[in-house]
Amino acid sequence: MFKAIVFACLMNGSDQCLELSDLWGLKATKADCEVRISEMKASVEQVMPQYTIVGTKCERIGDLT
């Protein structure tokens, strides 16, 4: 299972950054996680235009049982 995470910082050069974790739940595959990250990035750009995306991560959280 994978958790989608997006990292965003204010564009004004400050060190104020956010770690945004997916609230929709874990994804079964890394490919699914990467699709979710793309969706999250689009949402951040629309809802929080003062922030810029500085990184993303698909964090492995256990295995499917």
Side-chain angles (χ1 to χ4, degrees), residues 1-64:
M1 304 293 282
F2 293 88
K3 177 181 178 181
I5 303 170
V6 173
F7 302 96
C9 295
L10 278 175
M11 288 190 290
N12 67 4
S14 76
D15 61 352
Q16 187 174 2
C17 297
L18 302 171
E19 179 179 318
L20 305 165
S21 297
D22 185 14
L23 296 177
W24 289 5
L26 300 176
K27 304 303 171 208
T29 67
K30 188 168 184 181
D32 290 340
C33 179
E34 290 170 353
V35 168
R36 181 62 184 133
I37 282 176
S38 294
E39 296 168 350
M40 290 171 66
K41 286 171 61 176
S43 293
V44 169
E45 291 167 354
Q46 184 176 36
V47 176
M48 300 168 40
Q50 68 276 31
Y51 282 82
T52 186
I53 306 297
V54 296
T56 62
K57 179 179 174 181
C58 284
E59 183 177 334
R60 187 176 195 91
I61 308 286
D63 294 313
L64 285 173

